[in-house]
Amino acid sequence: MTGPRRANQGGGVQSIERAFDLLELMADAGGEVALSELAEASGLPLPTIHRIMRTLVTSGYARQQPSRRYSLGPRLIRLGETASRSLGSWARPYLAELTEATGETSNMAVLDGDQIVYVAQVPSQHSMRMFTEVGRRVDVHATAVGKAVLADLATDTVAQLLGRSGMRAQTERTITTVAAMQDELGRVREQGFAIDDGEQEVGVRCYAVAVPGAPAGAGISISGPEGRMTRIATDTIVPLMRRLAKDLSAELRTASHSA
């Protein structure tokens, strides 16, 4: 787990900021932690953490297990689903522009726990096209959008996440070791985009970029049959994807500041 994310900057409610810090630390740890682990990661006193966690449990945003460890609570599911729908609504105009430019299916997905969940899609008009159901959850290591999101995370955070997920092989091309994925993420950072070359599904290729500064780790991608995707000129399409991701990020930040 990483340390506290924010300091009180005046005008905020410190107890609320601390509660969100603890929820994010729990998410980083895979959704379940002990009080001592939260104390070590946050730097807060145990009595303070215990008081906040008791409030979160009472309101349904956390649960206390029989082992006395704490896990994320069911009320967060509703918040997450609503936030995902909102992200999808903002993303669709940008995805539509991407699909119009490439002729291929475009998607937006976010990191949720240790998996990627798709929150928006604009399908290709080709009779043979890729279709990923909105709301579908997939393993982060086997997708282009997952790699794009991972490339924005710290190396130790990536290792912890991949260690928890198990990196199961989806096809014979799937990267299945943390070391190999760290090498791959280095290439993603260097070239500015990620590729899924038949690693999630045989015969399918995807390109993806991260949405910078998104409220949750997020990315946009295009996907299609391998034969068509190899003819897409990445030197022209990737700059378009990065521009759309940057514009979407700016809209999300504006919306969050005006809320």
Side-chain angles (χ1 to χ4, degrees):
M1 290 188 294
T2 55
R5 288 160 171 70
R6 59 180 79 82
N8 189 280
Q9 299 177 358
V13 180
Q14 187 179 60
S15 60
I16 294 177
E17 292 179 345
R18 286 175 169 176
F20 281 118
D21 277 340
L22 295 179
L23 289 171
E24 291 181 13
L25 289 170
M26 292 171 70
D28 287 346
E32 183 175 316
V33 294
L35 282 181
S36 59
E37 295 169 333
L38 287 175
E40 180 181 357
S42 68
L44 296 173
L46 271 173
T48 299
I49 295 174
H50 186 266
R51 185 170 63 252
I52 294 172
M53 294 308 299
R54 189 169 61 225
T55 301
L56 291 172
V57 168
T58 300
S59 60
Y61 294 109
R63 291 185 298 170
Q64 189 170 28
Q65 307 290 357
S67 64
R68 309 300 293 174
R69 292 169 66 85
Y70 288 89
S71 62
L72 297 174
R75 291 196 70 181
L76 291 171
I77 297 173
R78 177 174 175 267
L79 295 182
E81 290 175 344
T82 303
S84 293
R85 287 195 296 271
S86 297
L87 283 173
S89 297
W90 276 310
R92 283 188 195 95
Y94 301 96
L95 298 182
E97 183 174 346
L98 184 55
T99 292
E100 183 177 357
T102 64
E104 301 297 346
T105 298
S106 59
N107 305 278
M108 181 179 182
V110 300
L111 182 65
D112 183 25
D114 295 340
Q115 291 186 303
I116 286 291
V117 58
Y118 289 90
V119 298
Q121 181 180 90
V122 174
S124 166
Q125 295 302 307
H126 290 292
S127 57
M128 180 182 293
R129 60 180 183 264
M130 299 302 101
F131 178 78
T132 300
E133 183 180 0
V134 171
R136 182 187 177 197
R137 304 175 70 89
V138 297
D139 291 338
V140 66
H141 68 287
T143 64
V145 70
K147 293 179 189 178
V149 170
L150 288 178
D152 271 357
L153 301 180
T155 300
D156 58 344
T157 302
V158 170
Q160 291 168 11
L161 189 157
L162 295 176
R164 291 191 301 266
S165 70
M167 302 188 70
R168 181 174 61 90
Q170 310 289 335
T171 73
E172 63 180 13
R173 295 183 180 179
T174 308
I175 297 173
T176 58
T177 69
V178 174
M181 182 57 74
Q182 297 285 21
D183 289 343
E184 174 76 356
L185 297 180
R187 287 188 286 272
V188 172
R189 297 182 189 105
E190 182 178 348
Q191 66 192 14
F193 67 100
I195 300 176
D196 160 15
D197 192 9
E199 297 157 57
Q200 173 70 27
E201 187 174 345
V202 174
V204 175
R205 176 175 283 190
C206 306
Y207 302 124
V209 300
V211 177
I220 60 174
S221 67
I222 54 171
S223 59
E226 189 174 7
R228 286 206 309 261
M229 293 294 287
T230 55
R231 295 193 291 272
I232 288 181
T234 55
D235 58 344
T236 57
I237 293 305
V238 170
L240 171 62
M241 295 178 70
R242 292 174 66 84
R243 192 263 294 172
L244 292 173
K246 183 179 179 181
D247 291 348
L248 173 56
S249 176
E251 182 172 349
L252 293 174
R253 284 197 302 271
T254 300
S256 65
H257 291 157
S258 62

